[in-house]
Amino acid sequence: MAEEEKTKAQLIQELETLRRKISDLAAREIEQALAKEKEHQQLVNGMNDTAFVIDFDGNFVEMNDTAIRFFGYSRDELLSMGPQDIDALRGKEEIKHLIEGMKMGETQVFETQHRTKAGDNIPVEVSSSLVTYQGKPAILSIARNITRRKKVEAQLQLTQFGIDHSQIGVFCVDDDGSIQYVNHYACETLGYSQEELLRLKIWDIDPRLNEESWKEYRRSTRARSITSIAVSY
């Protein structure tokens, strides 16, 4: 009987030791998970781009500090909102369609405009992908401010328009003499369509040039960093 009581006591002690080990292990795993989550949050908060975690009902469930500063809303205000509340170009139905597409594992990259609390519309490039957040599938949406890029694109378009409609002939010719670009004035002056000129070599329209002289000219201009030539036609 005494031996049986001793065996029961040992069993209880062993079970208690095992329980403590399991408890300690679970505590360490939770601690590691929290540390990892904190590290990830610090990384996201250090980004210059805005970042949102969005559930499949179209609600913001988390965001980084950059998003709070960028939009001018408090965290609580943003947590009561969704993409449809900040997208200045897309309506609720279109955003719903985008979210539905994410369920299929798509990665979406698109341009839009985000509206701040102050009412400013800012051009952004949005990249969205599937993630797991708090054990559930969700969408991580990162938006980059592309205001500077849009300004450069507008300037390039203006420059291109000026070249296209210049009152002098403008050609772009590659190393083998092929015409890669020609503006409207050159087409009108020569009587060719743009498509016809793009099939020609530069010496087909300038009687002073041939294949050998063009190659020599390109060698000399590369050495002197010259990128233009006067063409006679």
Side-chain angles (χ1 to χ4, degrees):
M1 187 70 176
E3 188 67 29
E4 186 179 345
E5 290 296 331
K6 182 179 179 182
T7 302
K8 287 181 179 180
Q10 288 175 340
L11 181 58
I12 292 171
Q13 186 177 6
E14 289 173 0
L15 287 173
E16 179 63 20
T17 301
L18 181 60
R19 186 192 66 77
R20 288 176 181 175
K21 286 182 179 179
I22 293 173
S23 180
D24 290 344
L25 179 61
R28 283 197 298 272
E29 288 179 348
I30 292 171
E31 185 179 349
Q32 290 172 356
L34 289 173
K36 187 175 181 180
E37 183 177 344
K38 183 178 180 181
E39 182 181 350
H40 181 262
Q41 187 66 36
Q42 288 173 340
L43 178 64
V44 172
N45 281 333
M47 295 171 56
N48 292 323
D49 302 330
T50 64
F52 287 95
V53 178
I54 307 166
D55 65 21
F56 282 102
D57 291 324
N59 304 307
F60 294 142
V61 295
E62 188 55 87
M63 70 287 304
N64 66 352
D65 293 343
T66 302
I68 295 170
R69 291 192 298 268
F70 179 89
F71 286 99
Y73 292 102
S74 69
R75 181 178 296 276
D76 287 342
E77 286 176 317
L78 286 172
L79 287 172
S80 69
M81 300 164 64
Q84 68 277 1
D85 298 308
I86 62 170
D87 196 312
L89 301 183
R90 287 174 166 77
K92 188 173 182 178
E93 287 304 313
E94 188 174 356
I95 290 173
K96 183 179 178 181
H97 179 72
L98 288 173
I99 291 174
E100 287 295 321
M102 291 299 300
K103 291 181 180 179
M104 305 303 293
E106 297 177 3
T107 296
Q108 298 174 349
V109 179
F110 58 90
E111 291 184 8
T112 187
Q113 291 183 11
H114 279 172
R115 180 177 292 121
T116 67
K117 188 175 183 178
D120 298 319
N121 290 343
I122 301 184
V124 294
E125 182 182 77
V126 178
S127 176
S128 298
S129 57
L130 278 178
V131 295
T132 300
Y133 179 74
Q134 294 184 346
K136 297 180 180 179
I139 301 166
L140 175 63
S141 186
I142 297 174
R144 173 161 295 182
N145 187 338
I146 56 172
T147 300
R148 184 176 298 179
R149 184 204 300 178
K150 286 298 182 183
K151 287 181 179 179
V152 171
E153 288 176 357
Q155 291 169 351
L156 289 174
Q157 289 174 355
L158 183 61
T159 300
Q160 186 64 52
F161 181 86
I163 294 173
D164 288 342
H165 297 84
S166 173
Q167 293 304 300
I168 59 172
V170 178
F171 297 80
C172 179
V173 185
D174 67 13
D175 286 349
D176 71 357
S178 299
I179 299 172
Q180 300 297 315
Y181 167 83
V182 58
N183 71 346
H184 302 315
Y185 185 83
C187 294
E188 293 172 1
T189 303
L190 291 168
Y192 290 98
S193 69
Q194 189 177 57
E195 290 76 14
E196 288 172 326
L197 280 171
L198 293 179
R199 290 195 293 266
L200 300 178
K201 302 288 189 179
I202 189 65
W203 50 83
D204 292 325
I205 62 170
D206 189 338
R208 300 172 306 163
L209 296 172
N210 56 44
E211 185 173 358
E212 288 304 316
S213 63
W214 174 254
K215 288 180 179 178
E216 179 57 35
Y217 171 78
R218 288 299 295 131
R219 282 193 291 269
S220 65
T221 55
R222 276 198 297 270
R224 292 177 290 159
S225 299
I226 297 174
T227 56
S228 63
I229 181 175
V231 178
S232 176
Y233 51 84

